[in-house]
Amino acid sequence: MLRVGKNTRRAGLIAASVLGAGAAMLLVAMAVVPLLVPAAELRRVAAHALAGSTGQKVEILGEPSIRLLPSPRVVLGKVSFPLPAGQSLDAENVVTRLDLLQLLAGRVVVNDVIVEHPTLVLTGEGMAPALGIAPVLAATDRPELRIVDGTIAWRSSSGLTRELVSGITASLDRVLDSAGIAVAVQFDWREQPVNATLFIDDITAFMAGTLAPMRATVGTDGARARFHGRAALGKAPTMDGAVTADADSLRDLFDWAGMEAPTRSGFGPFSLASRLKLEQGEVALTEASLDLDGNRGDGGLLVKVSGPRPLIQGTFAADRITLAPYGTMRLTGGDRQGWDRGPLNLSALGACDLDLRLSAARVDVGDTALSTVAASAVLSGGRLVLAIGEAHGWGGLLRASLTLAPTAPDPAAIARRPSGAELQLEAEANDVELARALDDIGGFRRIEGTGTFQVDVTGAGRSIQDIATNLQGSAVLTAANGYLNGFDVAQLLQRIERRPLSAGSDWRGGRTAFADLNGRIAISDGVGTVEELAMRGPRAQIEMTGSLSIAQRSLDLAGHAALPAAKGAKTGAIDLPFSVRGPWDEPSIMADPLSLIERSGAALPLLEAVKARAAAGAERAMDGGAAPTDDRQQAPAN
């Protein structure tokens, strides 16, 4: 059992008496203080503190009242902050919390200001609030500021008000013996919560333009950015430090920010770590490490915002890049039977200017792998030039340049050509595997072998189909030691030699080997005219003329297939005319019927009789006589 001595009990009674007396005196003081401080003084001090903490002029719409529990404070009620240019800032209630010791001494000193349910309404095109926050940040003796459940809205000229940001909760605290500030902000934007913090160690130096230590973070669901370094405001913002950013899905971040991603797929996980330097309106990211959709590159970026459009310049190097997340890069439609008819949208090209250089040890484009790639992308005034200075692919060496630009908005120009996009392509591929190359580029699977092709074309239209319809330019193809898929010329000619009439049906099937192939095509209004197309092989030779419709992906060609005479053979060489017509994926290859009949011993007399009768009929018609009649024809009855 605990025993308490007389001295201990006496000390406890004395302490209790002192505390009771102090509490009584405090209650009396709290009851008397409101009577000692005039209402006018409360109004003046509270308005001064509110103006000092917000940097705005203040209109107190009600009568302030002092409340001592749970802590001494002045309740101002509804407050308005007059703003120019038709903007407005009102708060449903403002509370200024007072220093208790100073209040007991008869002085009113404000520790912090709480602005409850403020609403800032913006008008006009600029939507920039006319708030004077710089004096608040620069001063070290101003009360701290709290904002509870604020809202920012925009009002149109017709009076329609739209909420932009809601649920704003913010605090501005003086730290490091009032030399620095700590700002924390939480708000909801586009139905997503956003959190941001800012720490500046020396706010006076920062506002004067001298670099001061600064740390900043901003984040939302699935995305975060951080800065740690030094910064200054002065006449122009300056920053120098380390920055990191990451997002679970960059596409979701674009959608949330109201921006359109450059492609229909991809732009998933993203991370960036770099050194950032902001100076004279230019942002430089050096020693940057960028990871997007698993594609990692190292390099640097320079962003200039002082011109009419932001300019982004950069150089990156990567070990391996895969374009699979961004969809299959084909010009044909979903069934691969025709060109893509989807509308081309180049509106994103006007957002900024761009100058990027990329080098990669390997680039995967669908099933195609390019190695030792040196590429560039230059965007200026809405005109995009994509260039591959050099790359190894399809077993050979590639060079290409693609220019894309919106068609001119001039009505006269639009009247002469389709609106949408202008395209110019210059490409050269040397010693490539033609089967893979032509299939990947245009879905053409008829030629195998090693070859070289050059393409120089221009076109304009609303879609790839429209551009193909208006295409102008030329194409040259040379190949060696390959095959022409679709028919076996030597086999067919040998069959014709034995039984000519048996080869009158469709020739499709098999393939023809060639030692060399040369083709040259002139393209005008989406139609290619074959200026030269010759194939020479160990067993057969082919020469063709005619045209091909690029827009319709069809062929209309006429040619000769020749089979050299074998050594010691009794018969000579075989030379047979034929035609190639239909879609270039599955064309119909037909021998000339008249030539087949002429080669047939059984059908030749019939052909000669038909020719003779036709000649006789023509001669009788010229003499004015009647055409010959069948011997069995009866004379009409009288």
Side-chain angles (χ1 to χ4, degrees), residues 424-446:
Q424 180 177 0
L425 173 65
E426 298 178 5
E428 178 181 356
N430 297 298
D431 301 325
V432 298
E433 296 179 25
L434 292 174
R436 292 168 52 198
L438 297 178
D439 185 23
D440 288 347
I441 294 173
F444 186 76
R445 300 179 289 275
R446 287 289 173 184

PDB file of all heavy atoms in Angstrom, residues 424-446:
ATOM      1  N   GLN A 424       6.261  13.509 -99.054  1.00  0.00           N
ATOM      2  CA  GLN A 424       7.370  13.326 -99.982  1.00  0.00           C
ATOM      3  C   GLN A 424       8.289  12.256 -99.405  1.00  0.00           C
ATOM      4  O   GLN A 424       8.720  12.347 -98.258  1.00  0.00           O
ATOM      5  CB  GLN A 424       8.150  14.625-100.198  1.00  0.00           C
ATOM      6  CG  GLN A 424       9.318  14.460-101.163  1.00  0.00           C
ATOM      7  CD  GLN A 424      10.042  15.766-101.438  1.00  0.00           C
ATOM      8  OE1 GLN A 424       9.678  16.814-100.907  1.00  0.00           O
ATOM      9  NE2 GLN A 424      11.057  15.724-102.263  1.00  0.00           N
ATOM     10  N   LEU A 425       8.563  11.238-100.206  1.00  0.00           N
ATOM     11  CA  LEU A 425       9.386  10.115 -99.760  1.00  0.00           C
ATOM     12  C   LEU A 425      10.538   9.909-100.722  1.00  0.00           C
ATOM     13  O   LEU A 425      10.340   9.788-101.938  1.00  0.00           O
ATOM     14  CB  LEU A 425       8.544   8.835 -99.673  1.00  0.00           C
ATOM     15  CG  LEU A 425       9.322   7.542 -99.389  1.00  0.00           C
ATOM     16  CD1 LEU A 425       9.956   7.597 -98.004  1.00  0.00           C
ATOM     17  CD2 LEU A 425       8.411   6.335 -99.512  1.00  0.00           C
ATOM     18  N   GLU A 426      11.736   9.891-100.170  1.00  0.00           N
ATOM     19  CA  GLU A 426      12.934   9.522-100.909  1.00  0.00           C
ATOM     20  C   GLU A 426      13.594   8.387-100.139  1.00  0.00           C
ATOM     21  O   GLU A 426      13.966   8.560 -98.982  1.00  0.00           O
ATOM     22  CB  GLU A 426      13.893  10.706-101.034  1.00  0.00           C
ATOM     23  CG  GLU A 426      13.320  11.893-101.810  1.00  0.00           C
ATOM     24  CD  GLU A 426      14.289  13.056-101.862  1.00  0.00           C
ATOM     25  OE1 GLU A 426      15.436  12.899-101.383  1.00  0.00           O
ATOM     26  OE2 GLU A 426      13.914  14.121-102.376  1.00  0.00           O
ATOM     27  N   ALA A 427      13.702   7.234-100.780  1.00  0.00           N
ATOM     28  CA  ALA A 427      14.243   6.065-100.097  1.00  0.00           C
ATOM     29  C   ALA A 427      15.159   5.300-101.031  1.00  0.00           C
ATOM     30  O   ALA A 427      14.923   5.236-102.250  1.00  0.00           O
ATOM     31  CB  ALA A 427      13.116   5.158 -99.600  1.00  0.00           C
ATOM     32  N   GLU A 428      16.173   4.704-100.434  1.00  0.00           N
ATOM     33  CA  GLU A 428      17.120   3.888-101.179  1.00  0.00           C
ATOM     34  C   GLU A 428      17.514   2.707-100.308  1.00  0.00           C
ATOM     35  O   GLU A 428      17.897   2.877 -99.150  1.00  0.00           O
ATOM     36  CB  GLU A 428      18.357   4.692-101.573  1.00  0.00           C
ATOM     37  CG  GLU A 428      19.399   3.889-102.317  1.00  0.00           C
ATOM     38  CD  GLU A 428      20.620   4.712-102.666  1.00  0.00           C
ATOM     39  OE1 GLU A 428      20.602   5.939-102.390  1.00  0.00           O
ATOM     40  OE2 GLU A 428      21.587   4.154-103.202  1.00  0.00           O
ATOM     41  N   ALA A 429      17.403   1.511-100.865  1.00  0.00           N
ATOM     42  CA  ALA A 429      17.793   0.301-100.161  1.00  0.00           C
ATOM     43  C   ALA A 429      18.733  -0.489-101.064  1.00  0.00           C
ATOM     44  O   ALA A 429      18.388  -0.783-102.214  1.00  0.00           O
ATOM     45  CB  ALA A 429      16.567  -0.531 -99.798  1.00  0.00           C
ATOM     46  N   ASN A 430      19.901  -0.822-100.545  1.00  0.00           N
ATOM     47  CA  ASN A 430      20.918  -1.509-101.332  1.00  0.00           C
ATOM     48  C   ASN A 430      21.165  -2.897-100.771  1.00  0.00           C
ATOM     49  O   ASN A 430      21.359  -3.070 -99.562  1.00  0.00           O
ATOM     50  CB  ASN A 430      22.239  -0.720-101.317  1.00  0.00           C
ATOM     51  CG  ASN A 430      22.087   0.640-101.971  1.00  0.00           C
ATOM     52  OD1 ASN A 430      21.775   0.745-103.145  1.00  0.00           O
ATOM     53  ND2 ASN A 430      22.288   1.704-101.198  1.00  0.00           N
ATOM     54  N   ASP A 431      21.177  -3.890-101.695  1.00  0.00           N
ATOM     55  CA  ASP A 431      21.506  -5.273-101.341  1.00  0.00           C
ATOM     56  C   ASP A 431      20.618  -5.800-100.219  1.00  0.00           C
ATOM     57  O   ASP A 431      21.087  -6.381 -99.236  1.00  0.00           O
ATOM     58  CB  ASP A 431      22.984  -5.386-100.951  1.00  0.00           C
ATOM     59  CG  ASP A 431      23.909  -4.956-102.077  1.00  0.00           C
ATOM     60  OD1 ASP A 431      23.554  -5.204-103.238  1.00  0.00           O
ATOM     61  OD2 ASP A 431      24.964  -4.377-101.790  1.00  0.00           O
ATOM     62  N   VAL A 432      19.297  -5.605-100.353  1.00  0.00           N
ATOM     63  CA  VAL A 432      18.357  -6.050 -99.333  1.00  0.00           C
ATOM     64  C   VAL A 432      17.620  -7.292 -99.806  1.00  0.00           C
ATOM     65  O   VAL A 432      17.581  -7.609-101.009  1.00  0.00           O
ATOM     66  CB  VAL A 432      17.340  -4.946 -98.988  1.00  0.00           C
ATOM     67  CG1 VAL A 432      18.039  -3.727 -98.421  1.00  0.00           C
ATOM     68  CG2 VAL A 432      16.504  -4.564-100.208  1.00  0.00           C
ATOM     69  N   GLU A 433      17.018  -8.004 -98.850  1.00  0.00           N
ATOM     70  CA  GLU A 433      16.165  -9.139 -99.171  1.00  0.00           C
ATOM     71  C   GLU A 433      14.808  -8.584 -99.612  1.00  0.00           C
ATOM     72  O   GLU A 433      14.026  -8.089 -98.784  1.00  0.00           O
ATOM     73  CB  GLU A 433      16.009 -10.043 -97.951  1.00  0.00           C
ATOM     74  CG  GLU A 433      17.310 -10.686 -97.500  1.00  0.00           C
ATOM     75  CD  GLU A 433      17.115 -11.557 -96.274  1.00  0.00           C
ATOM     76  OE1 GLU A 433      15.976 -12.036 -96.056  1.00  0.00           O
ATOM     77  OE2 GLU A 433      18.086 -11.748 -95.525  1.00  0.00           O
ATOM     78  N   LEU A 434      14.538  -8.686-100.904  1.00  0.00           N
ATOM     79  CA  LEU A 434      13.366  -8.013-101.464  1.00  0.00           C
ATOM     80  C   LEU A 434      12.053  -8.568-100.931  1.00  0.00           C
ATOM     81  O   LEU A 434      11.082  -7.820-100.763  1.00  0.00           O
ATOM     82  CB  LEU A 434      13.395  -8.120-102.987  1.00  0.00           C
ATOM     83  CG  LEU A 434      14.518  -7.317-103.670  1.00  0.00           C
ATOM     84  CD1 LEU A 434      14.531  -7.614-105.157  1.00  0.00           C
ATOM     85  CD2 LEU A 434      14.333  -5.829-103.429  1.00  0.00           C
ATOM     86  N   ALA A 435      11.976  -9.867-100.690  1.00  0.00           N
ATOM     87  CA  ALA A 435      10.721 -10.449-100.212  1.00  0.00           C
ATOM     88  C   ALA A 435      10.294  -9.800 -98.909  1.00  0.00           C
ATOM     89  O   ALA A 435       9.134  -9.402 -98.737  1.00  0.00           O
ATOM     90  CB  ALA A 435      10.876 -11.960-100.041  1.00  0.00           C
ATOM     91  N   ARG A 436      11.213  -9.671 -97.953  1.00  0.00           N
ATOM     92  CA  ARG A 436      10.879  -9.066 -96.658  1.00  0.00           C
ATOM     93  C   ARG A 436      10.658  -7.569 -96.802  1.00  0.00           C
ATOM     94  O   ARG A 436       9.718  -7.009 -96.214  1.00  0.00           O
ATOM     95  CB  ARG A 436      12.003  -9.342 -95.669  1.00  0.00           C
ATOM     96  CG  ARG A 436      12.141 -10.802 -95.274  1.00  0.00           C
ATOM     97  CD  ARG A 436      13.441 -11.030 -94.533  1.00  0.00           C
ATOM     98  NE  ARG A 436      13.588 -10.104 -93.422  1.00  0.00           N
ATOM     99  CZ  ARG A 436      14.750  -9.849 -92.818  1.00  0.00           C
ATOM    100  NH1 ARG A 436      15.852 -10.452 -93.223  1.00  0.00           N
ATOM    101  NH2 ARG A 436      14.797  -9.000 -91.808  1.00  0.00           N
ATOM    102  N   ALA A 437      11.509  -6.906 -97.571  1.00  0.00           N
ATOM    103  CA  ALA A 437      11.427  -5.450 -97.670  1.00  0.00           C
ATOM    104  C   ALA A 437      10.128  -5.005 -98.322  1.00  0.00           C
ATOM    105  O   ALA A 437       9.409  -4.142 -97.796  1.00  0.00           O
ATOM    106  CB  ALA A 437      12.628  -4.914 -98.448  1.00  0.00           C
ATOM    107  N   LEU A 438       9.790  -5.585 -99.491  1.00  0.00           N
ATOM    108  CA  LEU A 438       8.585  -5.160-100.206  1.00  0.00           C
ATOM    109  C   LEU A 438       7.318  -5.547 -99.462  1.00  0.00           C
ATOM    110  O   LEU A 438       6.311  -4.835 -99.516  1.00  0.00           O
ATOM    111  CB  LEU A 438       8.581  -5.759-101.608  1.00  0.00           C
ATOM    112  CG  LEU A 438       9.737  -5.313-102.522  1.00  0.00           C
ATOM    113  CD1 LEU A 438       9.650  -6.006-103.865  1.00  0.00           C
ATOM    114  CD2 LEU A 438       9.740  -3.798-102.690  1.00  0.00           C
ATOM    115  N   ASP A 439       7.346  -6.668 -98.735  1.00  0.00           N
ATOM    116  CA  ASP A 439       6.192  -7.068 -97.931  1.00  0.00           C
ATOM    117  C   ASP A 439       5.982  -6.108 -96.773  1.00  0.00           C
ATOM    118  O   ASP A 439       4.855  -5.675 -96.495  1.00  0.00           O
ATOM    119  CB  ASP A 439       6.386  -8.488 -97.415  1.00  0.00           C
ATOM    120  CG  ASP A 439       5.157  -8.996 -96.669  1.00  0.00           C
ATOM    121  OD1 ASP A 439       4.049  -8.485 -96.912  1.00  0.00           O
ATOM    122  OD2 ASP A 439       5.306  -9.885 -95.824  1.00  0.00           O
ATOM    123  N   ASP A 440       7.057  -5.741 -96.056  1.00  0.00           N
ATOM    124  CA  ASP A 440       6.923  -4.827 -94.926  1.00  0.00           C
ATOM    125  C   ASP A 440       6.473  -3.449 -95.364  1.00  0.00           C
ATOM    126  O   ASP A 440       5.714  -2.773 -94.669  1.00  0.00           O
ATOM    127  CB  ASP A 440       8.252  -4.728 -94.176  1.00  0.00           C
ATOM    128  CG  ASP A 440       8.571  -5.997 -93.400  1.00  0.00           C
ATOM    129  OD1 ASP A 440       7.658  -6.828 -93.247  1.00  0.00           O
ATOM    130  OD2 ASP A 440       9.722  -6.152 -92.967  1.00  0.00           O
ATOM    131  N   ILE A 441       6.927  -2.995 -96.526  1.00  0.00           N
ATOM    132  CA  ILE A 441       6.625  -1.629 -96.962  1.00  0.00           C
ATOM    133  C   ILE A 441       5.230  -1.531 -97.561  1.00  0.00           C
ATOM    134  O   ILE A 441       4.447  -0.643 -97.213  1.00  0.00           O
ATOM    135  CB  ILE A 441       7.674  -1.152 -97.978  1.00  0.00           C
ATOM    136  CG1 ILE A 441       9.046  -1.021 -97.286  1.00  0.00           C
ATOM    137  CG2 ILE A 441       7.276   0.183 -98.583  1.00  0.00           C
ATOM    138  CD1 ILE A 441      10.167  -0.724 -98.238  1.00  0.00           C
ATOM    139  N   GLY A 442       4.907  -2.434 -98.506  1.00  0.00           N
ATOM    140  CA  GLY A 442       3.640  -2.295 -99.216  1.00  0.00           C
ATOM    141  C   GLY A 442       2.810  -3.538 -99.324  1.00  0.00           C
ATOM    142  O   GLY A 442       1.840  -3.563-100.082  1.00  0.00           O
ATOM    143  N   GLY A 443       3.168  -4.603 -98.608  1.00  0.00           N
ATOM    144  CA  GLY A 443       2.396  -5.830 -98.683  1.00  0.00           C
ATOM    145  C   GLY A 443       2.543  -6.551-100.012  1.00  0.00           C
ATOM    146  O   GLY A 443       1.671  -7.339-100.399  1.00  0.00           O
ATOM    147  N   PHE A 444       3.651  -6.323-100.733  1.00  0.00           N
ATOM    148  CA  PHE A 444       3.893  -6.957-102.030  1.00  0.00           C
ATOM    149  C   PHE A 444       4.813  -8.148-101.815  1.00  0.00           C
ATOM    150  O   PHE A 444       5.926  -8.010-101.303  1.00  0.00           O
ATOM    151  CB  PHE A 444       4.536  -5.950-102.989  1.00  0.00           C
ATOM    152  CG  PHE A 444       4.686  -6.470-104.393  1.00  0.00           C
ATOM    153  CD1 PHE A 444       3.587  -6.542-105.224  1.00  0.00           C
ATOM    154  CD2 PHE A 444       5.922  -6.875-104.878  1.00  0.00           C
ATOM    155  CE1 PHE A 444       3.718  -7.027-106.525  1.00  0.00           C
ATOM    156  CE2 PHE A 444       6.058  -7.347-106.169  1.00  0.00           C
ATOM    157  CZ  PHE A 444       4.953  -7.421-106.998  1.00  0.00           C
ATOM    158  N   ARG A 445       4.353  -9.349-102.240  1.00  0.00           N
ATOM    159  CA  ARG A 445       5.074 -10.574-101.901  1.00  0.00           C
ATOM    160  C   ARG A 445       5.417 -11.402-103.144  1.00  0.00           C
ATOM    161  O   ARG A 445       5.450 -12.620-103.091  1.00  0.00           O
ATOM    162  CB  ARG A 445       4.231 -11.410-100.933  1.00  0.00           C
ATOM    163  CG  ARG A 445       3.903 -10.697 -99.637  1.00  0.00           C
ATOM    164  CD  ARG A 445       3.043 -11.566 -98.733  1.00  0.00           C
ATOM    165  NE  ARG A 445       1.705 -11.722 -99.231  1.00  0.00           N
ATOM    166  CZ  ARG A 445       0.718 -10.872 -99.005  1.00  0.00           C
ATOM    167  NH1 ARG A 445       0.933  -9.794 -98.279  1.00  0.00           N
ATOM    168  NH2 ARG A 445      -0.498 -11.083 -99.500  1.00  0.00           N
ATOM    169  N   ARG A 446       5.697 -10.753-104.262  1.00  0.00           N
ATOM    170  CA  ARG A 446       5.888 -11.466-105.517  1.00  0.00           C
ATOM    171  C   ARG A 446       7.355 -11.691-105.886  1.00  0.00           C
ATOM    172  O   ARG A 446       7.645 -12.531-106.739  1.00  0.00           O
ATOM    173  CB  ARG A 446       5.210 -10.706-106.658  1.00  0.00           C
ATOM    174  CG  ARG A 446       3.706 -10.813-106.620  1.00  0.00           C
ATOM    175  CD  ARG A 446       3.277 -12.213-106.991  1.00  0.00           C
ATOM    176  NE  ARG A 446       1.834 -12.412-106.815  1.00  0.00           N
ATOM    177  CZ  ARG A 446       1.238 -13.565-107.000  1.00  0.00           C
ATOM    178  NH1 ARG A 446       1.939 -14.626-107.343  1.00  0.00           N
ATOM    179  NH2 ARG A 446      -0.052 -13.680-106.818  1.00  0.00           N
TER     180      ARG A 446
END
